[in-house]
Amino acid sequence: MTAQSIETVATAPQHGAELIVPLNRLKASPKNARKTPHSPATIEAFAASIKAKGVLQPPVVEIERDGEGVPTGNYLVTIGEGRRQGLRLLAKRKAIKRTHPVRVIVDAENDAHEISLDENMTREAMHPADQFEAFQRLAVEKGYGPEEIGARFGVSAHVVRQRLRLGSAAPELMAVYRAGTLALDQLTAFCVSEDQDRQRQVLEQVGPHTPAYAIRRAMTEAKVSVGDRRVRFVGVETYEAEGGGILRDLFTEDGGGWLEDVVLLDRLVGERLAGLADEAREREGWKWAEPALDYPDVSAFGRVYPVAVIRSEADAAEITALSEEYDRIVSEAGAEGLPPEADARLEEIDNALQAYGPDFDYAADAKARAGVMVMLGHDGLARFERGLVRAEDAVAPPPEEEAEDDGGDADAGTGGGASEPEEAGSALSDRLVIDLTAHKTMGLRDAVQADVGAALATMVHALALQVFYPGYGLWTPLQLRLTTTGLERLAPGVDDGPAGRRVRDRCEAWGARLPERAEDLWGVVFGLAPSDQLNLMACCAGVGLYAVRDPHDGRPGALAQAETLAMVVGLDMTATWSATAASYFSRVPKTGVLEAVTEAVNAEEAGRIAGFKKGDMAEAAERLVEGKGWLPSVLRTVSDAAEPEDQNADHPRDDDAYAFAAE
């Protein structure tokens, strides 16, 4: 059909006429059935397509007329409003003129609203699988890269890469996806890797009805996620510099992925930990230093603790003067901060104080026997456990005690160096010695029961031996056995939590006050004030508590008592633990997440996130419960409101027995 010039006179174009109309003469039709405007992304796609290929399908227009029915020279776009918007976007960007000629087709017979509705209803979008494979064909046959394909269709290069990856899926996957058996999120999970053989293998193993997260896990089971603590410790850049390959996940917003060479990663981790251990040994003067990928059982080691550094009177006075000057300068800071000269002086004071070293440090002879272990923490940071003493490096008994043990003549009567109890018993039968010492034990029990101070010291001494002097727990006649179980292996990061830091600080503070030799402990404990003895006992008792609910642990009575103890001390876990995506919500089913949000906030908020994917739901739940003080039932402390008022009537407390603590 021959194109006609635009009509501006009374003679209007006939139905079906093809015209060339300037862009600025095309207007949106008020009869367009689509009232929701096109999205910016759709208009961008139209513009990109038109720029690359022109207007492939002419818009259908209606002649605009004035109140008297005379054509105005403008045309209303009935079908093709998205193309008109794409052309206007190109004109706005100066890619074409405002009067750019547009080929259109006139419809003068059909109802404009009806054909607009018809255009939007009687069509079906192509199946995504066809789109993925079409993009793949452009890349293979035309040689287009992601950037060029994206420019021709108005999408980002990242989206193109995603579609290319999906388009290269194994034919078996694409077939079940087209059939509707496989959902898009499941297909993306299979396509985290381009290995079609692996895709087929996993499809055969798990089938098409497995959740996406399980498919993704199966596809990457021999790889290490970029979020792994080892990767955070070494760094992706270091791993790649050593030639390690990375499988990138194109279908997550954070651009995550998996490291494929696990052996290389572990070697890099080990080398860096070993380097840090060597640096710590040389810098700090330890006898030994070792790296450890996993948290070791440090309870198997003895310990030495830092002690107060002895300073000369002149140094102590200078440190005090510098500290007071520092505090005075800081206190004089106004709303605008400190002047430059004051900041410079603070830096000088800080450097001077650092030159004196820490107030507490390990003694040189302690470092000569002890070591440091450098391990990889749950957060991907190196952790240093200092002051560990191997069994062979423990302080040996004094020489004179060795002489008493090893030397002497068994027939020398009271001479020869044997201790007095051994000498007295050497002339007696074993059975008589047992009999007599049983009587002595009963006498000792009677005497200790009558001496509250000695009883407390005996208890504290026995506990402290087992907490601070591993291997010396038998150096007490009190038949009290305390086991200290590390929790870091059970819950990575628990040692670095608020409660873990407080427990560690108390132990280190007491470690600095106690003697290095176990045989010297009794004198120190007995010489402590009763209040200090109680504090030390509390420190040791706390370390020995174990209330972990293990399905293989048959101690229901102990766990019940732990709940009672939690009520007695008023345990409030909201000060120690909070529910986050990592700590809780990503580790429970969706129903558990929704129950938590319902309890912490309300059912309406839970319903709002009910349709989210698991990862998004976990993150949303974290934000919703933040600051609400919500705890899962296993962490709650339930007070016994029904406790009788005369609960102590049958258990009178001997206040006199506790009076020493207040002296």
Side-chain angles (χ1 to χ4, degrees):
M1 183 179 293
T2 305
Q4 302 175 18
S5 301
I6 179 173
E7 293 289 336
T8 58
V9 294
T11 304
Q14 299 300 307
H15 176 75
E18 184 176 312
L19 307 177
I20 300 298
V21 179
L23 174 60
N24 60 350
R25 288 289 186 176
L26 295 178
K27 300 170 66 175
S29 172
K31 299 178 182 178
N32 195 320
R34 183 191 289 272
K35 300 304 180 184
T36 303
H38 292 87
S39 67
T42 300
I43 296 173
E44 188 72 48
F46 273 121
S49 176
I50 292 170
K51 183 178 180 181
K53 300 173 282 289
V55 180
L56 300 178
Q57 185 177 2
V60 177
V61 299
E62 177 188 10
I63 301 169
E64 184 186 54
R65 300 178 184 274
D66 60 18
E68 298 179 356
V70 178
T72 64
N74 296 323
Y75 293 83
L76 305 175
V77 178
T78 305
I79 298 175
E81 176 62 17
R83 280 157 272 170
R84 188 184 77 89
Q85 293 283 2
L87 287 164
R88 285 168 56 86
L89 181 59
L90 291 175
K92 183 179 180 180
R93 293 175 175 172
K94 310 297 184 184
I96 60 176
K97 296 180 179 180
R98 292 177 59 252
T99 58
H100 180 78
V102 182
R103 184 166 58 96
V104 301
I105 296 176
V106 177
D107 189 309
E109 295 181 358
N110 296 305
D111 179 76
H113 180 268
E114 183 178 346
I115 64 172
S116 173
L117 178 62
D118 200 349
E119 169 72 10
N120 286 283
M121 286 186 60
T122 55
R123 63 178 178 180
E124 182 178 359
M126 67 188 305
H127 194 282
D130 298 329
Q131 183 187 124
F132 304 152
E133 291 182 342
F135 271 57
Q136 181 72 9
R137 182 175 177 180
L138 287 175
V140 174
E141 296 183 1
K142 299 288 187 179
Y144 294 158
E147 290 75 13
E148 185 171 359
I149 295 176
R152 297 177 71 86
F153 289 91
V155 294
S156 68
H158 180 65
V159 169
V160 175
R161 292 188 183 94
Q162 290 179 326
R163 294 175 182 174
L164 292 175
R165 176 68 64 82
L166 293 169
S168 63
E172 294 84 350
L173 283 177
M174 205 61 81
V176 291
Y177 176 52
R178 278 197 170 92
T181 308
L182 198 68
L184 179 59
D185 65 332
Q186 294 172 298
L187 180 64
T188 61
F190 277 108
C191 289
V192 295
S193 171
E194 295 180 279
D195 187 344
Q196 292 190 357
D197 290 336
R198 180 60 179 163
Q199 292 172 357
R200 295 187 187 96
Q201 183 183 30
V202 172
L203 177 63
E204 183 178 349
Q205 290 174 348
V206 304
H209 305 293
T210 304
Y213 73 87
I215 296 172
R216 187 174 284 105
R217 184 172 58 206
M219 289 293 300
T220 59
E221 62 183 358
K223 301 173 177 60
V224 177
S225 168
V226 293
D228 187 271
R229 62 189 179 119
R230 291 170 290 176
V231 182
R232 284 180 282 169
F233 178 63
V234 172
V236 173
E237 298 80 6
T238 301
Y239 169 81
E240 288 183 303
E242 291 292 323
I246 297 182
L247 175 62
R248 291 292 184 185
D249 189 351
L250 298 178
F251 307 101
T252 56
E253 293 183 2
D254 59 3
W258 293 266
L259 278 64
E260 299 180 301
D261 194 338
V262 183
V263 175
L264 171 61
L265 175 63
D266 286 340
R267 178 174 65 80
L268 293 175
V269 171
E271 290 175 353
R272 187 177 179 199
L273 286 174
L276 292 173
D278 290 340
E279 290 176 8
R281 179 176 53 79
E282 295 176 4
R283 181 179 64 251
E284 302 174 16
W286 298 102
K287 177 180 180 180
W288 57 268
E290 288 184 0
L293 179 59
D294 294 317
Y295 199 87
D297 185 8
V298 295
S299 62
F301 294 87
R303 281 275 195 178
V304 293
Y305 293 90
V307 296
V309 176
I310 300 176
R311 306 188 189 279
S312 66
E313 292 185 4
D315 287 348
E318 179 65 16
I319 290 173
T320 300
L322 289 172
S323 300
E324 291 176 350
E325 183 184 359
Y326 191 98
D327 294 340
R328 178 180 56 77
I329 294 174
V330 171
S331 65
E332 293 174 353
E336 299 180 356
L338 293 170
E341 57 272 16
D343 278 332
R345 178 54 184 161
L346 287 179
E347 186 174 354
E348 291 177 1
I349 295 174
D350 190 51
N351 292 334
L353 289 174
Q354 289 186 17
Y356 283 104
D359 292 332
F360 285 83
D361 197 5
Y362 294 88
D365 61 336
K367 289 184 178 181
R369 295 184 296 104
V372 56
M373 295 195 76
V374 185
M375 62 204 70
L376 182 57
H378 73 286
D379 51 4
L381 300 176
R383 291 187 53 179
F384 294 77
E385 285 286 346
R386 296 177 171 86
L388 302 178
V389 181
R390 292 167 171 159
E392 61 268 24
D393 294 324
V395 176
E400 59 271 21
E401 294 182 8
E402 291 181 343
E404 291 176 356
D405 290 339
D406 300 332
D409 187 346
D411 299 325
T414 58
S419 63
E420 186 175 345
E422 291 175 347
E423 179 189 358
S426 62
L428 305 175
S429 68
D430 291 343
R431 184 68 191 85
L432 180 56
V433 170
I434 292 174
D435 182 282
L436 295 176
T437 52
H439 284 278
K440 184 175 182 178
T441 298
M442 185 59 72
L444 188 59
R445 289 179 179 179
D446 178 40
V448 170
Q449 283 184 343
D451 189 335
V452 176
L456 176 62
T458 301
M459 179 76 72
V460 175
H461 175 254
L463 292 173
L465 275 174
Q466 297 172 80
V467 171
F468 294 95
Y469 305 87
Y472 292 87
L474 300 179
W475 287 30
T476 173
L478 185 63
Q479 298 180 102
L480 178 66
R481 296 294 174 260
L482 179 71
T483 300
T484 58
T485 303
L487 301 176
E488 185 69 20
R489 288 172 178 253
L490 305 178
V494 66
D495 285 351
D496 292 329
R501 291 194 298 270
R502 290 192 293 269
V503 169
R504 182 173 63 247
D505 290 345
R506 293 189 191 101
C507 289
E508 290 181 352
W510 272 112
R513 294 181 61 179
L514 299 179
E516 185 177 352
R517 289 160 46 97
E519 56 267 36
D520 297 332
L521 178 62
W522 172 257
V524 173
V525 170
F526 196 75
L528 290 173
S531 60
D532 282 344
Q533 290 178 340
L534 286 172
N535 286 334
L536 177 55
M537 183 174 69
C539 179
C540 296
V543 171
L545 287 172
Y546 189 79
V548 175
R549 293 191 183 182
D550 187 328
H552 305 292
D553 188 351
R555 304 182 312 139
L559 295 176
Q561 178 60 26
E563 295 302 318
T564 301
L565 183 58
M567 289 188 289
V568 170
V569 299
L571 177 63
D572 181 8
M573 286 299 296
T574 59
T576 297
W577 184 93
S578 59
T580 65
S583 69
Y584 186 77
F585 295 119
S586 64
R587 304 169 67 181
V588 298
K590 283 187 174 182
T591 54
V593 177
L594 297 178
E595 288 174 2
V597 173
T598 301
E599 289 184 9
V601 191
N602 54 52
E604 181 180 353
E605 289 293 344
R608 187 177 63 81
I609 67 172
F612 287 14
K613 292 183 179 180
K614 180 61 183 297
D616 296 335
M617 181 185 287
E619 293 178 1
E622 176 180 342
R623 293 190 295 269
L624 287 170
V625 305
E626 184 178 5
K628 303 294 185 182
W630 180 86
L631 294 171
S633 59
V634 73
L635 292 183
R636 298 174 190 172
T637 299
V638 182
S639 61
D640 187 3
E643 190 174 9
E645 294 182 2
D646 60 341
Q647 58 179 324
N648 294 321
D650 297 329
H651 303 280
R653 171 177 171 177
D654 185 359
D655 290 327
D656 292 339
Y658 294 87
F660 69 91
E663 293 178 0

